């Protein structure tokens, strides 16, 4: 989760796409994502809760708040993200 936040902050859309569950990457518009990440400044990540996601688990859920500024106004994304382990690596699956 933290690595994905860093990727958003750095506009590293390749990393974001590579950590998205393979079945869902076709729906990802990396150009639009890149444009948006260049228009905002990410300022902080708060991890609210973690459910599962340990070494022995196949899925995990992370609730977080990502703080950022857009047009110099503070904004936030509050999300519960589901991750799935595939081939020993964690991938972003979906959000609530």
């Amino acid at each position: 989760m933290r690595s994905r936040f860093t990727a958003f902050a750095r506009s590293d859309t390749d990393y974001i796409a590579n950590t998205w569950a393979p079945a869902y990457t076709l729906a990802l518009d990396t150009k639009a994502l890149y444009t948006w990440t260049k228009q905002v400044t990410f300022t902080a990540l708060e991890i609210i809760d973690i459910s599962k996601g340990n070494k022995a688990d196949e899925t995990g859920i992370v609730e977080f708040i990502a703080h950022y500024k857009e047009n110099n106004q503070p904004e936030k994304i509050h999300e519960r993200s589901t991750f799935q382990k595939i081939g020993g690596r964690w991938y972003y699956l979906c959000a609530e």
Side-chain angles (χ1 to χ4, degrees), residues 9 11 25 33 53-55 59 62 70 72 75 77 83:
S11 301
T25 53
L33 180 60
N54 294 311
K55 193 172 185 176
T59 61
V62 178
E70 187 168 17
N72 213 27
E75 302 286 347
I77 300 169
F83 292 84

Side-chain angles (χ1 to χ4, degrees), residues 19-67:
T19 56
W20 205 292
Y24 297 96
T25 53
L26 292 177
L28 181 62
D29 184 346
T30 54
K31 288 183 181 181
L33 180 60
Y34 180 82
T35 299
W36 179 73
T37 60
K38 286 298 195 182
Q39 296 171 351
V40 301
T41 302
F42 286 90
T43 56
L45 175 66
E46 289 180 68
I47 303 296
I48 306 300
D49 189 36
I50 299 172
S51 175
K52 297 187 179 181
N54 294 311
K55 193 172 185 176
D57 296 322
E58 294 298 316
T59 61
I61 298 172
V62 178
E63 181 179 1
F64 68 91
I65 300 174
H67 298 269

